[in-house]
Amino acid sequence: MIYTLTLNPSIDYVVHLDRFVSGMTNRTTDEEFFIGGKGINVSCILAELGMNSTALGFTAGFVGDAIENGLREMGIHADFIRLREGISRINVKIKAESESEINGQGPHISEEEFARLLSKTDAVREGDTIVLAGSIPKTVSEDAYERILQRIEWRNVRIVVDATKNLLLTCLAYRPFLIKPNRQELSELFGREVSSENDIAYCARELHKKGARNVLVSLGGDGAILFAEDGNVYRSGVVRDRVLGTVGAGDSMVAGFIAGYERTRDYAYSLKLGAACGNATAFSDGLAKKEKINEILGRL
Ligand SMILES: Nc1ncnc2c1ncn2[C@@H]1O[C@H](COP(=O)(O)OP(=O)(O)OP(=O)(O)O)[C@@H](O)[C@H]1O
Ligand SMILES: [Mg+2]
């Protein structure tokens, strides 16, 4: 089973307006609702690829109901801890002449509720994959990922971490199967501008030494490079098409890579499927659908 963790999921309410005037009543020209969160994005793309996953995390109130029902409709096994108090977030994205976002904080998560999540991870077995993606919300203790990894450490689980800065570094000791920094995240990790391929390769070697097994560096419109555990370096380009939005392209790439590896154990194919999903999301409004992924896979 593939498990994804989304500590602070949301409903993203995207409103389109011709013009947004602060301090006035504005009327939308179009509205959309998406279920948001990096772990959930991974689950959604896995579902498009025909792969089951279990989405873990915390939900609360009526927004929490909407998140769980929406995921179930997509065929994703939603196994969230229901919080006793509060309401899961609704993040507002305003798309007018410019784009603005208002993101909520999310409900408070008590230590006892976090302990319930830890118990849930006892279901994770040898050969399973767990994806820890995104930052830790203020309402959860900073060492949340470490506590989860400590709990499953001895079980030979494939750990995937898509996080930034110190949070990623602290996870490396648990020998994650995959990390996927982008160029900016790599620069933040090493405290300097990382751009040349030689420099990227140096950074990947350092991350291997610290414990990462496969380092997938995504370079947005320039593709991606996989520094694999087998010592080989694999490269992937992009196809040219109209970019509609790159939010979630990285999460899509993570999902495609995991699905590819699950099916074939072949790094070149895993990277290719990852790239197809990343590209397809960049060329889609929201996350990619399976038709788009298959089309891009044929063009890569
Ligand atoms: N403009 C683009 N054109 C084509 N493919 C793209 C583009 N941007 C991203 N991709 C695809 O998606 C992959 C991941 O993108 P990127 O490096 O932007 O991830 P990211 O910054 O982690 O994104 P996020 O965290 O928002 O999900 C790229 O390696 C590429 O395959
Ligand atoms: Mg990312």
Side-chain angles (χ1 to χ4, degrees):
M1 176 50 76
I2 302 169
Y3 294 87
T4 63
L5 177 70
T6 308
L7 293 172
N8 201 6
S10 63
I11 292 287
D12 293 347
Y13 178 49
V14 183
V15 291
H16 297 260
L17 305 91
D18 295 328
R19 236 159 64 81
F20 176 73
V21 188
S22 165
M24 297 290 288
T25 298
N26 294 270
R27 301 235 175 253
T28 67
T29 53
D30 193 19
E31 302 129 37
E32 297 166 293
F33 294 88
F34 297 101
I35 302 175
K38 295 181 84 62
I40 285 175
N41 288 347
V42 173
S43 278
C44 290
I45 295 287
L46 287 171
E48 293 298 322
L49 296 172
M51 291 218 127
N52 285 335
S53 68
T54 297
L56 302 174
F58 299 99
T59 52
F62 74 100
V63 180
D65 293 336
I67 292 170
E68 293 189 25
N69 292 338
L71 290 178
R72 288 192 185 115
E73 275 167 29
M74 286 186 252
I76 296 163
H77 180 221
D79 192 11
F80 289 84
I81 304 287
R82 294 291 299 184
L83 300 170
R84 264 190 304 273
E85 282 172 32
I87 298 175
S88 292
R89 328 183 261 174
I90 298 178
N91 292 335
V92 182
K93 320 268 169 183
I94 303 168
K95 299 203 173 192
E97 306 98 316
S98 60
E99 296 194 5
S100 315
E101 297 193 11
I102 305 168
N103 292 342
Q105 292 179 47
H108 182 261
I109 297 159
S110 68
E111 180 52 37
E112 184 243 317
E113 285 162 327
F114 187 75
R116 283 174 56 208
L117 174 73
L118 281 179
S119 314
K120 239 185 217 310
T121 63
D122 289 345
V124 181
R125 299 257 167 271
E126 169 152 9
D128 287 345
T129 299
I130 187 164
V131 183
L132 307 180
S135 57
I136 310 278
K138 266 193 281 185
T139 55
V140 182
S141 76
E142 271 177 37
D143 57 357
Y145 282 2
E146 269 186 280
R147 288 173 69 189
I148 293 168
L149 293 176
Q150 266 159 19
R151 184 115 172 183
I152 61 172
E153 192 174 14
W154 53 274
R155 270 179 262 166
N156 197 14
V157 169
R158 270 197 292 281
I159 297 161
V160 178
V161 183
D162 185 7
T164 62
K165 301 180 202 163
N166 220 22
L167 180 58
L168 175 60
L169 288 178
T170 55
C171 293
L172 296 182
Y174 299 89
R175 309 239 337 107
F177 168 73
L178 180 71
I179 61 172
K180 196 219 60 62
N182 60 26
R183 208 191 310 244
Q184 187 197 334
E185 287 157 358
L186 216 51
S187 300
E188 283 166 2
L189 281 173
F190 287 85
R192 60 187 161 80
E193 189 67 33
V194 177
S195 63
S196 74
E197 190 167 323
N198 271 345
D199 205 9
I200 291 172
Y202 167 83
C203 294
R205 275 198 301 278
E206 291 298 306
L207 293 167
H208 277 149
K209 279 189 212 157
K210 288 190 197 314
R213 291 169 51 197
N214 292 290
V215 180
L216 174 54
V217 180
S218 68
L219 305 167
D222 293 327
I225 313 176
L226 171 67
F227 299 88
E229 189 174 25
D230 64 9
N232 292 323
V233 178
Y234 303 83
R235 285 177 186 75
S236 132
V238 296
V239 300
R240 296 287 152 210
D241 214 322
R242 193 155 76 94
V243 175
L244 295 182
T246 61
V247 176
D251 308 333
S252 303
M253 174 167 254
V254 168
F257 186 94
I258 294 170
Y261 191 81
E262 195 79 26
R263 283 189 191 141
T264 65
R265 301 288 189 264
D266 179 79
Y267 285 127
Y269 177 77
S270 306
L271 176 61
K272 189 172 174 181
L273 189 56
C277 295
N279 275 248
T281 286
F283 306 143
S284 303
D285 191 16
L287 294 176
K289 296 285 171 212
K290 64 169 177 283
E291 295 75 20
K292 192 79 192 167
I293 296 170
N294 287 331
E295 179 210 318
I296 304 293
L297 194 58
R299 288 166 62 190
L300 265 171

